[in-house]
Amino acid sequence: GRIAPHLDKSRKVMIGSICAYGGFNWVAAKALGEGQYSLFGTQLIPWCCGTKTYGKTGLVFGAKRLLRVATEGGKDQDGIKKILGQILQMDFLTDTDFIASSLWPNNPSLHPPILYGLFKDWDGKSAYDPKNLPVRIYAEMTEASAKCTCDLDAELCSIVAALSKRLPNNKHLQMDFSMRHCVVENYTDQ
């Protein structure tokens, strides 16, 4: 709520997050209170990023092929995609809603299972030797990480399938939510 006192309550203000993870809209609405604001968030980060020098230098390998922008109701009634497209210098922004954005496979459904596989045998007490810590979690992914990632992917897809039956008019829940589809959709050219 630190920005709430500074908002002009007499006009519409757009407030968002690059990569609006699950519940962003609820947390933001609660923190902001009453007002004429339009909440939005991107479903993923707009770029494919990596590490050049661990802890020092990152790289942007390229932009995602498309970027979904979540808004309440999923229809971008306030025109945020046009503004955000200019800011991000991205041509293809499309609609989604906050439910679909929350369930879309991205970092929260990818990194925890990978890290679980890497650290599942830790006793919770002994310190790790810094020389033996994983620094490239994708490259050092274990069989346990892969299994956990696949299990979580299947569970997420079954949740979306059940929700799409309960919310048949939500076109955003009719898409393919599999991790494979997400990766192919965004990284085919990279």
Side-chain angles (χ1 to χ4, degrees):
R2 289 190 280 181
I3 68 168
H6 305 285
L7 296 177
D8 181 348
K9 304 270 184 180
S10 68
R11 61 188 206 137
K12 183 154 288 201
V13 178
M14 296 180 186
I15 299 171
S17 174
I18 297 296
C19 213
Y21 293 134
F24 164 76
N25 56 323
W26 296 333
V27 172
K30 183 177 179 181
L32 294 169
E34 295 297 318
Q36 293 188 61
Y37 49 82
S38 176
L39 297 176
F40 71 91
T42 62
Q43 193 167 19
L44 300 168
I45 61 170
W47 312 279
C48 175
C49 303
T51 303
K52 181 175 180 180
T53 307
Y54 185 75
K56 292 184 180 182
T57 308
L59 297 171
V60 175
F61 297 114
K64 300 276 173 63
R65 291 173 38 175
L66 68 98
L67 187 63
R68 290 182 182 86
V69 179
T71 55
E72 296 292 346
K75 294 182 181 167
D76 189 19
Q77 295 177 340
D78 296 313
I80 190 62
K81 289 192 317 275
K82 182 177 181 183
I83 297 165
L84 201 55
Q86 292 170 349
I87 292 169
L88 298 174
Q89 298 179 3
M90 294 183 79
D91 295 329
F92 192 70
L93 277 65
T94 188
D95 291 317
T96 193
D97 63 13
F98 283 106
I99 293 173
S101 184
S102 294
L103 295 168
W104 193 254
N106 58 30
N107 293 348
S109 58
L110 180 61
H111 294 159
I114 292 173
L115 293 171
Y116 165 77
L118 292 171
F119 295 106
K120 71 178 184 57
D121 296 324
W122 180 46
D123 65 13
K125 297 174 188 161
S126 306
Y128 271 96
D129 179 348
K131 291 180 274 182
N132 295 329
L133 283 173
V135 293
R136 296 172 45 222
I137 66 170
Y138 300 119
E140 297 175 60
M141 191 170 172
T142 65
E143 287 293 324
S145 297
K147 181 182 180 336
C148 195
T149 301
C150 290
D151 290 348
L152 182 58
D153 182 47
E155 189 173 321
L156 208 54
C157 287
S158 70
I159 290 169
V160 171
L163 269 176
S164 69
K165 289 177 185 166
R166 299 280 310 255
L167 302 168
N169 295 326
N170 186 327
K171 68 178 185 172
H172 306 295
L173 293 174
Q174 308 304 318
M175 298 183 298
D176 183 349
F177 274 69
S178 69
M179 182 70 73
R180 181 184 194 290
H181 173 77
C182 177
V183 170
V184 169
E185 179 178 72
N186 284 294
Y187 299 111
T188 295
D189 299 336
Q190 295 180 21

